[in-house]
Amino acid sequence: MLKAMFSGRMEVLSDKEGWILIDRCRKHFGTVLNYLRDNTVVLPKNRQEIKELMVEAKYYLIQGLEEERLIESSMKPVVKLLYNRCNNKYSYTSNSDDNLLKNIELSDKLSLRFHGRVLFIKDIIGNEICCWSFCGQGRKLAEVCCTSIVYATEKKQTKVEFPEARIYEEMLNVLLYETPPCA
């Protein structure tokens, strides 16, 4: 959002001295700017302030801030499936649609099976067409990308795969980072 505002792609309001007007509360603007500068954030201790910061991150279309907060603060392992069928320059191979659906279905099955033990995130915003991320103790442990470019006769095509065994393997590995309940 901020990039669009200052690149000329979006109309911005300014006062007579040329200052840009952003109609938002300034309370968390410094935190948002710091995150954009160096990709790190010190989260407020107060739950309400964290909620307010996440609202600002959503307004400014800063996806990483919200996800980073979830992953860092989760006591549970985190599994994320990113799928974005529209993010493609080429046509898909014949079974790519089926495989994309299989990845989504597996995410749903795993989230039902491990509900309460693992935090599952499904997302449609990003550069990948189909990619799994496995995180534990606030950091990324593994990634399984399910797309590749293949050459068919004279044109390139995008192939979406369903590496089910690898996804199950990483799912079991991420469970090693589960925090045992206090006795």
Side-chain angles (χ1 to χ4, degrees):
M1 172 83 156
L2 288 173
K3 185 177 180 180
M5 289 174 78
F6 294 101
S7 69
R9 291 183 295 163
M10 186 176 170
E11 188 178 333
V12 293
L13 299 173
S14 58
D15 66 10
K16 55 187 168 197
E17 294 175 12
W19 292 94
I20 305 280
L21 301 173
I22 301 173
D23 189 17
R24 301 298 290 179
C25 175
R26 65 179 188 200
K27 182 175 181 180
H28 299 291
F29 191 69
T31 305
V32 169
L33 282 179
N34 286 336
Y35 179 76
L36 291 172
R37 283 186 192 117
D38 55 20
N39 255 3
T40 60
V41 65
V42 177
L43 293 172
K45 301 286 184 217
N46 179 314
R47 209 178 251 278
Q48 181 59 36
E49 287 188 18
I50 290 174
K51 284 182 183 178
E52 292 169 3
L53 181 59
M54 293 306 108
V55 168
E56 293 304 303
K58 234 177 214 171
Y59 175 80
Y60 291 112
L61 302 176
I62 303 172
Q63 176 192 2
L65 181 60
E66 193 168 348
E67 273 181 28
E68 187 174 303
R69 184 237 170 228
L70 278 173
I71 291 169
E72 279 181 10
S73 64
S74 179
M75 298 303 286
K76 302 174 188 176
V78 178
V79 174
K80 175 184 170 190
L81 173 61
L82 170 71
Y83 61 98
N84 185 351
R85 192 184 188 300
C86 298
N87 189 29
N88 188 17
K89 297 182 216 175
Y90 313 112
S91 62
Y92 285 96
T93 58
S94 59
N95 61 348
S96 288
D97 282 332
D98 288 341
N99 285 339
L100 186 60
L101 288 174
K102 286 179 184 178
N103 278 285
I104 294 167
E105 287 173 2
L106 180 58
S107 172
D108 292 341
K109 286 178 186 176
L110 290 172
S111 66
L112 288 172
R113 170 68 179 91
F114 295 102
H115 175 74
R117 293 177 64 190
V118 177
L119 174 63
F120 285 88
I121 301 172
K122 257 199 264 190
D123 203 347
I124 58 168
I125 299 173
N127 296 329
E128 294 293 334
I129 295 167
C130 186
C131 188
W132 293 78
S133 298
F134 300 87
C135 306
Q137 296 176 344
R139 61 186 174 87
K140 186 183 286 188
L141 304 169
E143 189 171 81
V144 178
C145 289
C146 306
T147 53
S148 59
I149 303 297
V150 294
Y151 294 89
T153 57
E154 297 175 15
K155 62 181 182 174
K156 294 179 184 178
Q157 286 188 309
T158 299
K159 180 179 180 182
V160 178
E161 299 169 341
F162 180 54
E164 186 175 20
R166 174 88 195 284
I167 293 165
Y168 275 114
E169 177 185 2
E170 295 303 340
M171 183 67 213
L172 292 173
N173 286 337
V174 84
L175 287 172
L176 296 172
Y177 291 84
E178 186 175 19
T179 305
C182 298

